[in-house]
């Protein structure tokens, strides 16, 4: 909307200048400018007001609901961030988790933003399951009155990328709802795409800029806060204080205990939160890839609005170790190899090939290619940060953060492979080096507010990391409530991670009960779910006392088996049907009494 001389108090020259400037301002700049002008006016309140001054027209508040479905906290963080921005634009915003929102209340709202992640192989986040099932059931109401938009978060390395968001978007439309703005599907590096979606939503929903009064003092405070906030885009470089192998000699595993200095970072985190590490690719792999591509390492390319050598781009910026379907489809445009097109004909074909392989395999197996260095880097996505559960309490170690990182190492197609981050930590990172890190909040995996609430912690291998932070926190606070740890790994002698810590907490009463399962120490493999089954009566008794269940670790095997066992125990001990047990477990999730941090 352009300003005109006839409908404003400005002259023609001023109108021209304003019309050139205003379209170029961001929302934040408009808010700041409005606050600055308002504050300036406030200092002149004692002066007489000119009779010709136009009255201030207060915009009418609009109502909007933001719902989020979050497994690790990303969707929740975005929902709260966007709610704050809209409130500053005089919008009456309600924010709620899908787990807390009554689905029948959809009939009572007019404007809805849904921010939801996809978990595992196309599943909704735990707390969104009931809402998802209701919306796809015969009980779902007609939503002709509803205006909505969906922001879908996902990971394109999975086959069912952003499936939950897509499902919600399609179902809302089927029920008669109207889109405020098209759905946006975001990959793991979601910041820019999410911001673009929100910008479109604002434009469509608000129709025109809404003035918000912000004082210069508030603005300065926000800017000061932002200056010391470390994020994925602005990580803190933490010095490595310790790097120990927790496994004994002869173990099949290598699990690193990392201690990092966070002095001066102004980090705030709780037990259950994670640390994100921005990794780099192995230089040897990058060199081998460049040789296979026949690219000069110093050739300049443009990556994410930055110009750098193709070697630096591949080593520091781009993912080269994961073969996703989108990447393979883009590669198909640059090769005429007769076998390559067969890869994508069936889902199992490309998945079988991609498992354990990387871009070097593709370049060696399907040459020649017609791409330039610039075209090649444009098909790749940014290296995703790696998230690791924090294994220490900030209250106990205010200037440090501890991590538990299992080294990923395997052989495929005659070549040894290492995990991008875990391999670097295990083989290249030395004490005194620095790692670029940031805090990733996870409100969906946290200690109960009531200190007397019993907790049951189930995990295998590195999945035990957050429980070390839980118990260190409780020790620091002097809490001796009921706490039960069920831990599993391969061998008692070599793989009992943090054994002395658990024993000390057992002796002190911080940990009241512990069961261990070492799968390779007996002829019959025993896992954590078997220990759970053995203790079925105690487990159900703890549930009846209001216990919170935590599960951390591998999703496809351990977490899935534990979940099935929990359902079975509730059926048996609670004398329930399978349907009743499922409803019981869903209710536990809704109440945050069944929390999972699985990967």
């Amino acid at each position: 909307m352009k300003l005109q001389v006839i409908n404003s108090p400005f002259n023609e020259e001023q109108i021209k200048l304003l019309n050139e400037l205003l379209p170029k301002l961001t929302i934040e700049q408009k808010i700041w400018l409005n606050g600055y002008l308002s504050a300036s006016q406030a200092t002149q309140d004692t002066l007489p007001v000119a009779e010709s001054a136009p009255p201030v027209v207060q915009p009418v508040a609009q109502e909007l609901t933001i719902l989020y479905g979050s497994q690790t906290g990303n969707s929740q963080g975005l929902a709260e961030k966007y709610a704050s921005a809209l409130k500053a634009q005089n919008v009456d915003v309600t924010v709620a988790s899908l787990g807390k929102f009554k689905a029948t209340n959809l009939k009572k709202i007019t404007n809805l933003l849904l921010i939801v992640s996809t978990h595992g192989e196309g599943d909704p986040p735990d707390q969104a399951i009931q809402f998802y099932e209701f919306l796809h059931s015969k009980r779902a109401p007609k939503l002709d009155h509803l205006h909505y938009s969906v922001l879908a978060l996902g990971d394109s390395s999975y086959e069912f990328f952003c499936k939950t968001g897509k499902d919600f978007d399609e179902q809302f439309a089927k029920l008669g709802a109207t889109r405020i703005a098209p759905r946006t599907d975001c990959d793991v590096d979601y910041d820019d795409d999410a911001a673009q979606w929100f910008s479109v939503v604002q434009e469509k929903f608000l129709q025109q800029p809404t003035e918000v009064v912000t004082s210069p003092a508030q603005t300065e405070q926000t800017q000061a806060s932002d200056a010391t906030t470390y994020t994925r885009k602005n990580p803190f470089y933490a010095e490595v204080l310790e790097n120990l192998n927790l496994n004994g000699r002869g173990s099949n595993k290598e699990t690193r205990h990392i201690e990092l200095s966070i002095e001066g970072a102004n980090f705030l985190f709780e037990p259950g939160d994670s640390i994100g590490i921005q990794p780099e690719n192995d230089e040897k792999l990058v060199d081998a890839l460049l040789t296979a591509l026949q690219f000069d390492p110093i050739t300049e390319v443009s990556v994410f609005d930055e110009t750098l050598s193709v070697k630096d781009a591949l080593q520091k910026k781009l993912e080269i170790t994961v073969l996703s379907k989108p990447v393979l489809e883009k590669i198909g445009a640059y090769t005429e190899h007769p076998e390559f097109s067969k890869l994508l004909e069936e889902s199992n074909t490309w998945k079988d090939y991609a498992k354990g392989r990387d871009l070097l395999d593709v370049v060696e197996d399907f040459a020649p290619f017609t791409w330039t260095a610039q075209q090649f880097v444009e098909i790749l996505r940014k290296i995703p940060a790696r998230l690791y559960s924090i294994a220490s309490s900030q209250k106990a170690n205010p200037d440090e953060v501890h991590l538990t990182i299992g080294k990923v190492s395997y052989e495929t197609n005659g070549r040894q492979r290492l995990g991008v981050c875990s391999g670097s930590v295990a083989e290249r990172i030395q004490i005194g080096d620095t790692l670029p890190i940031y805090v990733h909040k996870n409100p969906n995996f946290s200690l109960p507010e009531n200190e007397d609430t019993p907790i049951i912690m189930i995990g295998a291998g590195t999945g035990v990391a957050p429980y070390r932070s839980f118990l260190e926190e409780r020790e620091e606070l002097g809490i001796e409530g009921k706490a039960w740890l069920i831990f599993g790994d391969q061998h008692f002698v070599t793989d009992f991670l943090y054994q002395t810590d658990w024993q000390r907490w057992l002796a002190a009463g911080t940990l009241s009960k512990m069961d261990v399962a070492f799968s390779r120490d007996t002829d019959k493999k025993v896992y954590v779910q078997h220990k759970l089954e053995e203790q079925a009566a105690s487990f159900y008794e703890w549930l009846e006392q209001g216990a919170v269940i935590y599960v951390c670790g591998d999703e496809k095997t351990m977490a899935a088996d534990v979940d099935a066992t929990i359902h079975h125990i509730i059926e048996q001990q609670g004398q329930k049907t399978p349907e009743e047990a499922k409803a019981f477990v869903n209710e536990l999730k809704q109440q945050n009494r069944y929390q999972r941090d699985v990967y």
Side-chain angles (χ1 to χ4, degrees):
M1 180 182 294
K2 285 192 173 185
L3 292 173
Q4 303 290 336
V5 175
I6 58 174
N7 64 1
S8 72
F10 303 108
N11 61 39
E12 189 171 342
E13 183 179 355
Q14 291 171 326
I15 288 292
K16 182 179 179 182
L17 291 171
L18 286 170
N19 282 331
E20 288 178 358
L21 174 64
L22 289 175
K24 300 176 183 178
L25 297 179
T26 65
I27 292 295
E28 290 78 8
Q29 288 171 327
K30 291 176 182 176
I31 291 171
W32 187 94
L33 183 60
N34 184 63
Y36 174 79
L37 294 173
S38 300
S40 300
Q41 181 63 36
T43 62
Q44 302 175 29
D45 282 347
T46 55
L47 298 177
V49 180
E51 291 183 6
S52 59
V56 177
V57 178
Q58 295 295 331
V60 177
Q62 300 185 68
E63 294 183 354
L64 182 140
T65 298
I66 302 180
L67 298 179
Y68 60 85
S70 190
Q71 192 72 29
T72 62
N74 289 333
S75 296
Q76 181 174 348
L78 288 175
E80 292 170 350
K81 174 182 175 182
Y82 295 154
S84 296
L86 287 167
K87 287 176 182 177
Q89 293 170 283
N90 203 46
V91 179
D92 184 2
V93 183
T94 300
V95 185
S97 163
L98 286 172
K100 300 293 185 183
F101 183 80
K102 284 186 65 176
T104 52
N105 284 342
L106 283 173
K107 294 183 291 186
K108 301 177 183 178
I109 63 176
T110 305
N111 300 299
L112 170 68
L113 300 183
L114 177 64
I115 304 175
V116 65
S117 62
T118 294
H119 187 53
E121 297 296 333
D123 299 320
D126 288 345
Q127 292 186 358
I129 292 173
Q130 282 191 334
F131 186 93
Y132 180 92
E133 291 179 347
F134 172 84
L135 202 70
H136 287 80
S137 73
K138 293 181 179 179
R139 295 181 294 123
K142 287 293 182 184
L143 300 174
D144 298 12
H145 67 288
L146 184 68
H147 295 81
Y148 77 100
S149 186
V150 175
L151 179 67
L153 303 187
D155 183 338
S156 64
S157 66
Y158 286 85
E159 182 176 6
F160 301 103
F161 174 57
C162 286
K163 182 178 184 299
T164 301
K166 293 174 182 176
D167 289 349
F168 271 123
D169 184 39
E170 291 171 5
Q171 189 62 12
F172 277 126
K174 285 180 182 178
L175 294 171
T178 304
R179 292 181 180 89
I180 298 172
R183 184 191 76 247
T184 293
D185 298 333
C186 299
D187 209 342
V188 286
D189 186 44
Y190 57 81
D191 299 273
D192 292 342
D193 287 338
Q196 181 61 37
W197 169 82
F198 184 60
S199 177
V200 174
V201 166
Q202 284 178 304
E203 181 181 342
K204 299 287 187 181
F205 181 69
L206 298 173
Q207 295 298 316
Q208 58 186 22
T210 305
E211 295 185 347
V212 183
V213 175
T214 305
S215 72
Q218 287 175 310
T219 304
E220 289 170 11
Q221 185 178 12
T222 302
Q223 290 173 338
S225 173
D226 290 345
T228 56
T229 298
Y230 294 98
T231 63
R232 280 189 305 173
K233 292 189 173 183
N234 179 37
F236 175 78
Y237 282 79
E239 182 182 354
V240 178
L241 303 175
E242 193 61 84
N243 187 348
L244 298 172
N245 183 6
L246 294 175
N247 298 100
R249 184 175 298 174
S251 174
N252 296 320
K253 298 183 172 185
E254 185 174 340
T255 309
R256 310 302 298 194
H257 172 77
I258 308 295
E259 297 183 3
L260 303 173
S261 171
I262 55 172
E263 188 174 359
N266 295 323
F267 280 158
L268 289 175
F269 55 84
E270 300 292 334
D273 290 341
S274 299
I275 287 292
I277 299 179
Q278 293 284 16
E280 290 187 5
N281 290 309
D282 183 359
E283 187 175 11
K284 293 179 181 177
L285 176 61
V286 172
D287 288 341
L289 180 58
L290 286 168
T291 298
L293 288 164
Q294 299 182 356
F295 289 162
D296 186 338
I298 63 172
T299 299
E300 287 193 341
V301 292
S302 178
V303 176
F304 311 123
D305 298 324
E306 185 178 354
T307 300
L308 64 171
S309 71
V310 66
K311 179 174 181 177
D312 282 346
L314 294 176
Q315 186 172 338
K316 300 176 182 179
K317 301 291 183 180
L318 300 169
E319 182 174 66
I320 62 173
T321 58
V322 175
L323 297 180
S324 65
K325 191 173 183 179
V327 166
L328 289 173
E329 288 173 338
K330 292 174 184 175
I331 289 174
Y334 295 98
T335 179
E336 295 180 359
H337 195 289
E339 296 299 316
F340 189 85
S341 60
K342 296 179 182 179
L343 271 185
L344 301 175
E345 289 178 358
E346 296 182 16
S347 61
N348 287 337
T349 305
W350 79 263
K351 282 193 284 188
D352 290 343
Y353 176 83
K355 188 175 181 180
R357 285 185 167 89
D358 55 34
L359 275 170
L360 178 56
D361 293 292
V362 175
V363 174
E364 291 178 336
D365 292 346
F366 298 103
F369 295 90
T370 59
W371 48 39
T372 63
Q374 182 63 45
Q375 289 171 325
F376 178 67
V377 299
E378 285 176 358
I379 71 174
L380 306 180
R381 70 174 185 175
K382 189 177 292 186
I383 304 176
R386 268 52 174 183
L387 296 179
Y388 296 100
S389 297
I390 294 172
S392 59
S393 161
Q394 191 170 23
K395 289 183 174 66
N397 306 278
D399 292 326
E400 298 178 12
V401 63
H402 302 171
L403 306 176
T404 311
I405 300 177
K407 177 184 175 182
V408 176
S409 177
Y410 60 95
E411 184 176 314
T412 299
N413 203 27
R415 178 156 56 87
Q416 191 68 24
R417 323 289 173 121
L418 290 175
V420 174
C421 191
S422 66
S424 174
V425 166
E427 298 203 347
R428 299 189 292 277
I429 296 297
Q430 304 294 321
I431 293 174
D433 290 345
T434 59
L435 287 173
I437 68 171
Y438 63 94
V439 171
H440 179 89
K441 305 294 290 183
N442 187 0
N444 298 318
F445 199 82
S446 58
L447 284 167
E449 292 183 9
N450 186 344
E451 296 177 353
D452 296 327
T453 301
I455 59 174
I456 303 172
M457 303 166 286
I458 306 167
T462 57
V464 81
Y467 307 140
R468 186 173 184 266
S469 74
F470 280 12
L471 294 178
E472 197 170 68
E473 179 93 351
R474 287 164 72 94
E475 178 186 44
E476 189 70 16
L477 295 173
I479 300 170
E480 294 185 6
K482 295 181 70 174
W484 179 4
L485 175 64
I486 304 173
F487 167 68
D489 215 314
Q490 291 187 354
H491 299 284
F492 172 85
V493 174
T494 58
D495 306 317
F496 198 165
L497 307 182
Y498 301 117
Q499 178 183 0
T500 56
D501 288 336
W502 314 127
Q503 291 174 332
R504 175 169 57 83
W505 285 322
L506 276 168
T510 305
L511 181 63
S512 52
K513 182 177 173 65
M514 183 172 185
D515 287 283
V516 292
F518 293 102
S519 60
R520 308 294 173 85
D521 282 347
T522 57
D523 292 336
K524 183 180 179 181
K525 291 184 178 180
V526 179
Y527 298 109
V528 288
Q529 65 268 21
H530 299 129
K531 290 296 177 180
L532 197 59
E533 190 74 58
E534 289 175 12
Q535 300 281 339
S538 293
F539 178 80
Y540 194 75
E541 182 182 341
W542 280 53
L543 281 187
E544 289 188 312
Q545 295 169 359
V548 177
I549 310 165
Y550 299 92
V551 178
C552 184
D554 175 68
E555 179 183 22
K556 292 183 179 178
T557 53
M558 185 278 294
D561 290 338
V562 166
D563 187 70
T565 301
I566 289 173
H567 279 78
H568 182 61
I569 290 173
I570 290 170
E571 279 182 49
Q572 284 192 326
Q573 298 295 319
Q575 298 181 337
K576 300 180 186 297
T577 66
E579 291 74 21
E580 289 171 338
K582 180 181 178 182
F584 186 91
V585 170
N586 283 338
E587 188 60 29
L588 290 176
K589 291 177 179 177
Q590 300 294 102
Q591 297 173 357
N592 291 329
R593 289 185 54 205
Y594 184 9
Q595 302 183 27
R596 304 196 309 161
D597 184 4
V598 294
Y599 38 85

